[in-house]
Amino acid sequence: MTEESPEEEYVNKKGGFNLRVIYDRIIGKLSDPSFHKTAIWSTGSIILALVVAAVVMVMTGYNVGLAFLTLLWGAITQFDRVLFFGTPLIFTGLSVALAFKCGLFNIGPEGQLYMGAMAAAIVGYMFSLPIVIHQLTALLFGAFAGFLYGLLPGILKAYRGTHEVVTTMMMSYSALLFTAWLVAYPLKDTTQTLDRTPEILATAELPKLLGPFLNLSLIIAILAVIGVDYLINRTVLGYEMRAVGQNPTAAETAGVNPKKNIALALGIAGALAGLGGSGEILGYHHLFQDNWSTGLGWDGITVAVLGNNNPWGVLAGAIFFGALRAGGIQMQRIAGVPLEMVRVIQGLIVLFVAAPRAIDWLSKRGVDYAIWLKRDRVPALVHLCTSGIAGASAIICLTVFGSFSTMMEAGVVGSGGSVTLLLFLTSLISIYALIELLMRKPRGLILLVFAAIEWLLISAMGYVARSMVIVGQSLVFGVVMLLMVVLVVKVFPETPVDSGGDN
Amino acid sequence: MNILYGFLSKDTGRIIIKGEEVELHSPQDAIIRGVGMVHQHFKLIPPLTVTENVILGLEPVLRRARAEKLTGAKQLSSLLPIDFKGAADRIQKIAEENGMQIDPKTKIQDLSVGLQQRVEIIKTLYRNADILILDEPTSVLTPQEVDDLFLTLERFKESGRTIILITHKLREPMALADRISVLRDGELVGTVNKEDTSPEALAKMMVGRPVVFRVEKSPATPGDVVLSVDNLTVRNKRGVMAVKGINLEVRAGEIFGIAGVEGNGQTELIESIAGLIKPVGGRILLNGRDITGVNPREVREAGISHIPEDRHKRGLVLGFTIVENSTLGRHYKSPFATGPANQLIDLSQADHLADRLVDTYSIKVGDIHNLASTLSGGNQQKVIVARELAANPKLILAAQPTRGLDVGATEYIHNVLVSMRDAGAAILLVSAELDEVLSMSDRIGVIFDGQIIAVKHPSDTTAQELGLLMAGHNAGYSAEEAVA
């Protein structure tokens, strides 16, 4: 999804005049190797996350195909919801990304979002103003509340050296608790049992765009993306912020005040998050309820990471997360996979994006194998098959292990304890063997022998339990594995390890 | 050199050490084969002692062999106590054998730079290195310390060790080396024996054309006093008094050179004039206007340009493009900023400037939109010099303007500074290289321990005399006498 981002960037930047220049710039940007790297990392992380999520689903006994199909279908058919779920993430993602451009890690968009939402809700229900003005005032107050709540840690960082990760995170929790107290006592709607404010006046509501969910805050979010991009790249303030983020001492030497920029960057980051919170309240919730956001701010950090802290990347990342959310609801309804699986996928994506070495490693191994295949085809092919069988063994083991343990829980299988344990062990050994084989270490073959022996053991157990399916399957695996090992050792004894390099 | 030491991996080619072709994946591989390296920027940990630094990565565990026999695992031995005493004794022995004095128990942060370098050398000897790589070893030393180092290296040579000396100063290979290889742009230009060559011939090989060593300049025609520093006192970052009452005057059309060993207050002097550190006492006047303690932007507005001593730390934003770097410091002013209240950046004006600077200063760049980090050190420095001089300053603070640059780039920057002087700018030049100060300056102040202990005219003095003054001998001058 992130691949499209720079295209949009320049189209929007230049507004349409001088097509030739725009075209050249897009091509230049698209052929930039650093952009390729980012795109590969982002998409690679998403794919890897989906693969791991598939394994988890298989283990826990869900229909993976159906789950992904409904996820995709849900995302495509309910595009308004996708955008609706993505909107607040655009704001919080931008908040993190902007602060990052100034070398700051804003962990607190959640708190800034709450403060902004609270301010907007108060303006929304306490004051009676004419339409348009009311909405604008509420949004402005929301942004301002977020600004102040971001400025405070910014000032602490700039002038007292307090680390912003600690203060923003701590202040996030303070904001959650503070607003919870506000809605529980002074601002509580006493006609309700739940802790929440009264509903905002109709004049403060943001108009809906499409369907019951999508509202004007999406437009504001997209304007914010353009605005942040412009701020970062085209204004003196953005230039100074980037200079401070890249090299504060050089910026200082050149007459830029790093302290002012640090404080201001966190302030603007807070304002963006606050604006996001106000948009949610004015556009959809229409009142402030205790703990309403369920982690929109935290997800913003993830979105910024996925979007590589580029405003257009953030937009793409937020929409992708919105799609996961919208599709996830569909997935839960039809395939019965709990919505938490979406959280698992999100978490895995961050894990893989934050650990690009995993993807680097895999691609390096892939290139390595390709070279080997080209040089001497047959041994490489045999070796590749060996790795393949290790991988297959690991996946099958995990699958069977998963269904076995669910069956045991359900009481279908009475005494499968030892088999389950064995299966789990085999899967672990197979994974280890796979890694070693991919690195072309001879240890992988020894591990594979172990795995084969375990398969044979499982087949013996299956015979005892009179389950011919288990016997057949595991026998095939065990024998094939042993054959492969013998083949590699006997026929192609000189397994080249030299060009493998270090991992 | 980093490839030879295993920091980087080679793409193609072969490395043969002692007749054996080797693959070096890490410094560990190089160390095992007897290669030791002393880096230009020392790889020492200041709060640790000499012993701790030397044994780092090779900690002698008490009875390691027995422990390994017992547990059968190498990893476990890292939990056992370290044999500090034995290590310290060995370090002492190595130092004495090679005529170096060092106390293994002192902390690195308490040692002078010259002694720290010895620790680095001992570190390689402790690892039984017989191939010693020295990367720009003299850049931080006084002339006397350089002589000591060379004596030590001569000794190594006699004891049969191989020394590879990397340097950009011509004097050093001529004094020390037997064979000299010249590299230019990643290619070997040639290898010559010392007997068959001369500094001039080497310089020609390095630059590709004949080089004039003496900076060609006409006598200075000093005008009015531009900068006057009056009894300035400055504390450094750690709160220690670093500048202890300096008085000096720099006139228009004059280069005032400050000679001194690094760490004697030059950095603090320059940074306090540039507005980066607030002085404790004293006054700084620019054309009679008091600019003491104002912020860096106002200092720049007043007409001072600053070529910082550390180009990566203070000079450039490496993650910025050349264009972005070339406007840094003037980015908020017209014509680079436009729009309401000068808040928008005019990209085309910045491109213009960068193009112009790249042209006039013949900076080798692929594209002005490339990151500054892609440039070579010399070209990075040229970007800084170009940017700072383009502001048309009244006073130029040039701190180590040619550090780490090759002969060609150095010559270029010298000529540019001299032409700025001739155009009427006042220049305060700080350099650790005595030759540079001697050849560039119209007057030379020697700084020692935060004070200017002597002011000399280059024609009346010699490198030997300045070297002695820099080391604090003849510190009988008082600060008042120092003002010429």
Side-chain angles (χ1 to χ4, degrees):
Chain A
M1 301 207 81
T2 41
E3 295 93 306
E4 306 154 17
S5 48
E7 269 179 72
E8 294 165 77
E9 184 178 355
Y10 281 106
V11 171
N12 279 294
K13 232 184 197 174
K14 288 282 169 184
F17 56 87
N18 203 345
L19 275 172
R20 182 74 210 168
V21 174
I22 297 168
Y23 177 76
D24 285 349
R25 285 206 159 183
I26 292 169
I27 295 300
K29 188 83 183 174
L30 284 180
S31 52
D32 183 18
S34 73
F35 166 70
H36 284 173
K37 215 170 186 181
T38 320
I40 288 170
W41 276 350
S42 296
T43 31
S45 308
I46 290 169
I47 291 169
L48 269 183
L50 290 177
V51 168
V52 175
V55 172
V56 173
M57 277 193 253
V58 165
M59 276 181 68
T60 41
Y62 294 108
N63 186 339
V64 182
L66 185 67
F68 280 151
L69 214 63
T70 47
L71 187 75
L72 190 68
W73 186 244
I76 292 170
T77 51
Q78 300 170 303
F79 206 66
D80 58 327
R81 280 209 198 195
V82 170
L83 293 177
F84 167 71
F85 286 128
T87 307
L89 298 180
I90 298 174
F91 284 112
T92 50
L94 283 178
S95 167
V96 177
L98 180 83
F100 191 80
K101 290 284 177 195
C102 194
L104 300 163
F105 208 23
N106 180 17
I107 299 286
E110 181 83 350
Q112 295 143 11
L113 178 108
Y114 268 80
M115 296 310 267
M118 189 42 127
I122 289 172
V123 174
Y125 86 88
M126 275 192 183
F127 300 94
S128 174
L129 292 165
I131 197 157
V132 179
I133 294 177
H134 200 174
Q135 288 130 338
L136 281 178
T137 324
L139 284 173
L140 226 89
F141 268 82
F144 189 64
F147 176 77
L148 289 181
Y149 212 66
L151 191 66
L152 183 58
I155 288 172
L156 285 173
K157 162 88 180 179
Y159 295 94
R160 280 284 164 267
T162 334
H163 204 285
E164 79 280 4
V165 167
V166 178
T167 44
T168 52
M169 184 186 264
M170 188 193 75
M171 283 175 66
S172 252
Y173 291 112
S174 314
L176 253 75
L177 295 169
F178 176 62
T179 50
W181 174 77
L182 280 182
V183 291
Y185 299 103
L187 303 178
K188 185 174 162 70
D189 182 357
T190 41
T191 62
Q192 299 283 335
T193 46
L194 285 173
D195 285 346
R196 60 195 216 186
T197 62
E199 260 198 53
I200 58 170
L201 304 176
T203 47
E205 286 176 15
L206 289 177
K208 297 266 188 270
L209 290 178
L210 188 76
F213 296 103
L214 201 58
N215 54 62
L216 197 70
S217 61
L218 174 71
I219 308 292
I220 302 172
I222 290 168
L223 288 177
V225 171
I226 299 167
V228 168
D229 185 34
Y230 196 78
L231 173 76
I232 290 172
N233 292 317
R234 297 298 300 276
T235 66
V236 170
L237 182 64
Y239 176 90
E240 291 191 353
M241 277 181 186
R242 282 186 297 132
V244 171
Q246 294 267 0
N247 188 345
T249 45
E252 189 195 7
T253 311
V256 175
N257 184 347
K259 294 178 175 168
K260 188 191 95 186
N261 277 290
I262 285 172
L264 215 53
L266 268 182
I268 298 173
L272 283 164
L275 201 59
S278 329
E280 284 299 282
I281 297 297
L282 303 176
Y284 178 70
H285 295 278
H286 296 162
L287 50 78
F288 191 104
Q289 189 171 345
D290 177 22
N291 211 11
W292 60 273
S293 103
T294 61
L296 292 172
W298 307 118
D299 284 352
I301 301 168
T302 322
V303 164
V305 169
L306 187 61
N308 199 25
N309 293 305
N310 172 312
W312 296 96
V314 165
L315 178 65
I319 292 173
F320 177 71
F321 269 39
L324 278 183
R325 190 92 176 261
I329 293 171
Q330 194 85 338
M331 182 174 79
Q332 183 172 28
R333 209 165 54 217
I334 296 175
V337 180
L339 197 56
E340 278 69 31
M341 190 52 72
V342 167
R343 292 247 152 221
V344 171
I345 296 173
Q346 287 179 356
L348 286 167
I349 290 173
V350 178
L351 194 71
F352 288 125
V353 171
R357 287 175 64 105
I359 293 168
D360 269 358
W361 187 81
L362 272 178
S363 61
K364 221 185 236 167
R365 292 281 78 83
V367 170
D368 206 29
Y369 261 102
I371 292 169
W372 194 17
L373 271 172
K374 214 168 177 182
R375 207 173 50 203
D376 26 22
R377 186 175 306 261
V378 183
L381 213 59
V382 171
H383 199 269
L384 202 61
C385 289
T386 325
S387 313
I389 197 126
S393 145
I395 289 173
I396 301 248
C397 268
L398 280 176
T399 326
V400 183
F401 164 68
S403 50
F404 242 76
S405 45
T406 32
M407 275 197 280
M408 260 175 53
E409 263 171 55
V412 181
V413 188
S415 57
S418 49
V419 177
T420 349
L421 194 71
L422 206 57
L423 278 166
F424 189 60
L425 224 68
T426 318
S427 65
L428 286 186
I429 290 181
S430 303
I431 292 172
Y432 192 21
L434 176 65
I435 293 171
E436 292 282 339
L437 282 172
L438 282 180
M439 278 158 60
R440 294 207 224 146
K441 296 249 175 83
R443 196 188 296 162
L445 290 175
I446 300 165
L447 284 165
L448 210 59
V449 173
F450 275 114
I453 292 169
E454 279 188 290
W455 275 113
L456 294 178
L457 264 174
I458 293 168
S459 114
M461 280 188 176
Y463 183 71
V464 173
R466 286 172 203 289
S467 162
M468 279 307 130
V469 183
I470 294 182
V471 174
Q473 204 184 32
S474 22
L475 212 57
V476 167
F477 255 109
V479 170
V480 169
M481 270 185 180
L482 281 178
L483 276 178
M484 294 302 277
V485 172
V486 169
L487 199 65
V488 170
V489 173
K490 284 279 160 197
V491 185
F492 309 107
E494 28 27 303
T495 320
V497 202
D498 56 355
S499 60
D502 55 318
N503 56 332
Chain B
M1 277 311 139
N2 279 335
I3 296 174
L4 190 48
Y5 193 54
F7 261 132
L8 304 175
S9 294
K10 61 188 167 58
D11 292 330
T12 53
R14 300 188 301 161
I15 298 173
I16 296 167
I17 297 178
K18 294 170 200 159
E20 170 201 9
E21 187 174 342
V22 290
E23 278 287 329
L24 301 173
H25 291 297
S26 71
Q28 210 71 40
D29 292 350
I31 291 167
I32 291 169
R33 292 176 174 86
V35 179
M37 181 153 178
V38 177
H39 298 267
Q40 184 176 11
H41 303 285
F42 304 146
K43 314 265 186 213
L44 295 170
I45 305 168
L48 297 187
T49 65
V50 171
T51 313
E52 285 166 329
N53 267 289
V54 169
I55 62 174
L56 194 65
L58 201 78
E59 298 86 351
V61 168
L62 283 172
R63 301 181 204 82
R64 179 191 279 272
R66 222 182 82 197
E68 267 165 26
K69 210 177 280 169
L70 275 178
T71 57
K74 248 185 188 154
Q75 286 87 341
L76 278 180
S77 66
S78 64
L79 295 174
L80 296 174
I82 290 175
D83 182 12
F84 276 118
K85 174 118 188 16
D89 289 346
R90 214 182 127 204
I91 291 166
Q92 195 79 57
K93 209 171 129 236
I94 292 171
E96 275 162 18
E97 273 172 13
N98 293 289
M100 295 185 275
Q101 287 292 320
I102 201 108
D103 176 10
K105 286 190 194 67
T106 43
K107 288 182 178 167
I108 295 295
Q109 61 199 20
D110 300 333
L111 294 178
S112 73
V113 182
L115 286 175
Q116 288 185 16
Q117 189 175 51
R118 284 189 191 171
V119 176
E120 280 281 13
I121 294 173
I122 290 172
K123 213 160 109 183
T124 61
L125 296 180
Y126 187 86
R127 285 158 173 73
N128 296 321
D130 40 24
I131 302 171
L132 205 59
I133 307 172
L134 295 149
D135 187 4
E136 301 280 359
T138 57
S139 59
V140 289
L141 304 181
T142 62
Q144 280 76 14
E145 280 176 317
V146 171
D147 291 344
D148 284 352
L149 173 71
F150 280 11
L151 281 178
T152 314
L153 293 182
E154 283 287 349
R155 241 186 232 224
F156 288 171
K157 198 173 95 182
E158 279 153 25
S159 63
R161 290 193 175 95
T162 310
I163 298 167
I164 304 173
L165 177 77
I166 303 159
T167 179
H168 66 277
K169 293 180 198 166
L170 292 169
R171 190 166 71 88
E172 291 167 10
M174 290 308 291
L176 191 69
D178 300 310
R179 287 189 304 140
I180 303 163
S181 289
V182 177
L183 295 176
R184 188 170 76 221
D185 292 337
E187 275 181 52
L188 182 67
V189 180
T191 300
V192 288
N193 288 325
K194 180 174 75 176
E195 296 81 39
D196 309 338
T197 188
S198 65
E200 286 76 18
L202 281 180
K204 198 178 162 202
M205 283 169 82
M206 283 164 75
V207 188
R209 61 181 162 80
V211 174
V212 191
F213 279 109
R214 295 293 305 180
V215 179
E216 281 179 21
K217 57 177 182 139
S218 52
T221 47
D224 299 335
V225 174
V226 174
L227 173 77
S228 99
V229 173
D230 185 16
N231 202 18
L232 188 75
T233 50
V234 185
R235 285 183 198 281
N236 68 9
K237 268 185 221 132
R238 282 178 292 161
V240 180
M241 200 63 89
V243 174
K244 301 168 180 170
I246 282 187
N247 294 297
L248 60 85
E249 278 181 352
V250 188
R251 292 170 179 276
E254 176 192 49
I255 297 180
F256 187 91
I258 291 185
V261 181
E262 277 185 58
N264 275 297
Q266 298 98 315
T267 311
E268 288 78 9
L269 172 65
I270 291 288
E271 292 193 348
S272 60
I273 299 173
L276 295 164
I277 314 178
K278 292 232 183 312
V280 185
R283 286 198 310 161
I284 303 165
L285 303 175
L286 186 77
N287 285 336
R289 205 184 118 208
D290 194 341
I291 56 158
T292 319
V294 303
N295 69 37
R297 180 165 292 187
E298 288 170 56
V299 169
R300 281 172 178 273
E301 293 274 346
I304 296 181
S305 275
H306 177 198
I307 301 168
E309 60 175 23
D310 187 332
R311 57 175 165 270
H312 288 173
K313 199 172 139 216
R314 285 210 177 270
L316 287 175
V317 179
L318 287 177
F320 267 14
T321 62
I322 294 152
V323 177
E324 287 170 319
N325 268 303
S326 62
T327 60
L328 191 66
R330 285 194 293 156
H331 57 275
Y332 60 95
K333 285 197 294 197
S334 179
F336 308 115
T338 57
N342 275 355
Q343 276 304 307
L344 301 181
I345 284 183
D346 190 332
L347 294 178
S348 61
Q349 285 292 344
D351 282 2
H352 270 305
L353 176 72
D355 270 332
R356 195 162 55 92
L357 294 184
V358 164
D359 267 2
T360 40
Y361 289 82
S362 48
I363 305 170
K364 277 185 210 152
V365 296
D367 186 294
I368 52 167
H369 294 284
N370 286 349
L371 296 185
S373 54
T374 60
L375 296 181
S376 71
N379 283 308
Q380 287 176 346
Q381 188 71 11
K382 276 185 181 177
V383 171
I384 299 173
V385 170
R387 176 186 79 204
E388 295 300 326
L389 301 190
N392 231 342
K394 296 187 188 105
L395 170 71
I396 300 163
L397 305 172
Q400 321 283 3
T402 60
R403 169 180 284 173
L405 301 191
D406 65 48
V407 188
T410 303
E411 186 195 26
Y412 189 87
I413 286 174
H414 283 168
N415 286 336
V416 169
L417 285 176
V418 169
S419 68
M420 284 304 284
R421 179 202 75 166
D422 293 340
I427 297 176
L428 182 61
L429 169 77
V430 170
S431 177
E433 311 220 4
L434 207 44
D435 295 344
E436 180 170 42
V437 177
L438 261 174
S439 60
M440 287 285 293
S441 312
D442 302 313
R443 282 190 298 143
I444 299 171
V446 180
I447 194 169
F448 176 75
D449 193 25
Q451 284 180 316
I452 303 258
I453 57 168
V455 175
K456 302 268 173 191
H457 283 271
S459 47
D460 309 340
T461 188
T462 58
Q464 282 69 32
E465 188 193 6
L466 289 177
L468 282 173
L469 285 168
M470 280 161 69
H473 301 288
N474 193 14
Y477 286 88
S478 74
E480 284 78 48
E481 285 173 83
V483 183

